[in-house]
Amino acid sequence: MAYQRISVPVEGEKITVQNNTLVVPDTPIIPFIEGDGTGPDIWRASQYVFDQAVARAYHGRRKIVWMEVYAGEKANQLYGTYLPDETVEAIQEYYVAIKGPLTTPVGEGFKSLNVTLRQVLDLYACIRPVKYYQGTPCPVKNPEKVDMIIFRENTEDVYSGLEWAMDTAEARDIIAYIESRTGKKIRPDSGIGIKPMSRFGSERIMRKALEYAIANHRKSITIVHKGNIMKYTEGAFKNWCYELARREFGDKIILESELTGPTDRIVIKDRIADNMFQQALLRPDEYDILVTMNLNGDYLSDAVAAQVGGLGMAPGGNIGDFYAVFEATHGTAPKYAGLDKVNPGSVILSGKMMLEYLGWIEAAQLIEQGLQKTIASGVVTYDLARQMPGSREVKTSEFTKAIVENMEG
């Protein structure tokens, strides 16, 4: 496909789908978005780590061919829009992409670019592994007990974009309709949002989590919901997840209520959302994979990440049936832009997830190994150094050079 602004590399090959399977060549072309604010700083550093890990793992037999695509402020300068059509088309053509943080205005302005990408590409699973790396400063006593993966439904719930401002014709019409049909009163000076949750959306996020649990030998899945209050959305989500598990994975799972002793099956349980926040703090080692609706998952993934050092060390991937966009989970931190100062850990670990998705496990393991050794040695960026007495604060670029030096292979 010809693009207006995107330069397609002369080398490299496309990732394809054949027989319902992702086929990854030895030189895949991977689109990347630098991101806004500190995005260029952390992208340059992270790309260096990715390239070195692949080179060390495969000794020239494999190589990522990077292709820049545009979203956010850089896209607006080039195209006059924050998310050009050809960026979405490029990700659709090449299947797998990675991105830095993008600007999202609060309370006004354009819609979240992250949410738009997830909806347009139907990236229905936001997958957030949360794991402790030794030496990372943490607010809890035993962060090493945290090893959870959050599967957050990514396209429905209150993030579906169905909302209208106070005193718009749409808001007035919906208020009037609800009052006429149900007799329930809504204050006329209200903004209105709609919270859809479908059986289809609930079942496919649960299926994705179960497939992952089986492939990666995880022990349990906890369905997180507020079904005691929102019975026909969050309560239905819980019920549909259970039904899917029993119907499609009956020989691989056991319900928590049926447990009588140790089992080699995946234990399926559920927790009310507010209780799950408490459980994540008090008994984190009892929880493995969490399956959540969109809003609960957003809150919970950040809260659990705080237990192991914060969003600077939290990776994320937005994955559909084949399309996947891996991303930094933190904001743009514009006051640090261009200072070579911020922690690139979120993008680096998101790249590790991307390599695992490609099936390049050896390179992913080198990244994790290098990052762990570097932090444990006390060589860290500003955000970690100020909480680690005796550490050595280094620049973003110096931190990633240390990561590469600590890789073996």
Side-chain angles (χ1 to χ4, degrees), residues 54-298:
V54 170
R56 289 169 183 247
Y58 306 115
H59 307 288
R61 291 183 291 109
R62 288 176 171 172
K63 177 186 176 182
I64 293 175
V65 180
W66 301 104
M67 179 176 76
E68 185 172 12
V69 299
Y70 305 98
E73 293 170 357
K74 195 170 184 179
N76 194 43
Q77 293 170 3
L78 290 171
Y79 298 84
T81 181
Y82 286 88
L83 184 60
D85 290 342
E86 70 175 20
T87 293
V88 177
E89 291 164 1
I91 297 172
Q92 289 172 323
E93 184 173 0
Y94 293 91
Y95 283 99
V96 177
I98 187 168
K99 58 179 281 296
L102 294 173
T103 297
T104 299
V106 177
E108 59 183 1
F110 56 86
K111 181 179 176 181
S112 165
L113 302 178
N114 297 320
V115 171
T116 301
L117 277 170
R118 293 165 191 167
Q119 291 177 343
V120 170
L121 296 168
D122 199 23
L123 306 174
Y124 59 85
C126 179
I127 302 175
R128 295 277 296 273
V130 185
K131 181 180 177 180
Y132 177 66
Y133 291 95
Q134 185 179 357
T136 307
C138 300
V140 296
K141 291 181 179 179
N142 299 113
E144 71 281 356
K145 292 183 178 181
V146 178
D147 185 4
M148 302 182 207
I149 303 176
I150 297 168
F151 277 70
R152 166 188 166 197
E153 200 292 317
N154 222 4
T155 63
E156 298 188 321
D157 199 4
V158 292
Y159 283 29
S160 60
L162 299 172
E163 62 173 357
W164 297 273
M166 177 197 75
D167 207 33
T168 58
E170 294 87 352
R172 291 195 300 269
D173 287 348
I174 292 169
I175 290 170
Y177 175 81
I178 290 172
E179 184 174 343
S180 67
R181 292 298 298 267
T182 71
K184 294 184 181 297
K185 299 285 187 180
I186 298 175
R187 295 185 181 93
D189 59 343
S190 296
I192 294 293
I194 294 179
K195 177 188 179 77
M197 196 70 225
S198 67
R199 178 191 291 272
F200 175 82
S202 303
E203 289 187 347
R204 68 177 179 175
I205 190 65
M206 187 64 175
R207 183 182 297 113
K208 181 77 83 174
L210 278 158
E211 289 170 348
Y212 182 94
I214 293 166
N216 292 276
H217 311 290
R218 307 296 289 207
K219 295 179 180 179
S220 72
I221 292 177
T222 303
I223 305 160
V224 182
H225 62 93
K226 193 66 178 168
N228 57 328
I229 304 299
M230 291 169 277
K231 302 180 186 301
Y232 306 121
T233 51
E234 305 218 4
F237 174 79
K238 179 201 76 170
N239 294 338
W240 291 328
C241 286
Y242 270 122
E243 289 169 11
L244 182 281
R246 286 192 292 261
R247 185 174 70 246
E248 295 187 12
F249 299 87
D251 61 336
K252 300 286 195 307
I253 63 107
I254 185 169
L255 304 188
E256 183 181 40
S257 59
E258 299 170 347
L259 272 179
T260 57
T263 180
D264 59 356
R265 294 192 177 195
I266 299 164
V267 179
I268 308 297
K269 48 193 174 182
D270 72 274
R271 297 290 183 270
I272 300 295
D274 43 343
N275 180 49
M276 187 63 236
F277 278 85
Q278 176 175 252
Q279 294 291 312
L281 281 168
L282 299 179
R283 300 178 178 179
D285 49 340
E286 296 182 11
Y287 297 91
D288 192 349
I289 291 176
L290 309 180
V291 175
T292 82
M293 295 181 65
N294 209 334
L295 181 62
N296 292 337
D298 197 358

Side-chain angles (χ1 to χ4, degrees), residues 330-396:
H330 53 71
T332 58
K335 71 177 182 178
Y336 295 120
L339 299 182
D340 196 21
K341 188 179 183 73
V342 297
N343 184 354
S346 180
V347 172
I348 289 172
L349 288 171
S350 296
K352 170 187 171 288
M353 288 181 67
M354 182 186 75
L355 291 168
E356 291 169 341
Y357 187 71
L358 298 178
W360 294 13
I361 306 301
E362 300 84 359
Q365 290 172 339
L366 285 180
I367 289 174
E368 185 168 47
Q369 176 192 89
L371 182 67
Q372 172 67 83
K373 286 186 175 181
T374 303
I375 294 173
S377 72
V379 176
V380 291
T381 50
Y382 159 77
D383 61 311
L384 299 181
R386 61 183 175 170
Q387 304 175 68
M388 294 171 61
S391 62
R392 180 163 68 90
E393 181 181 334
V394 296
K395 297 178 180 179
T396 306

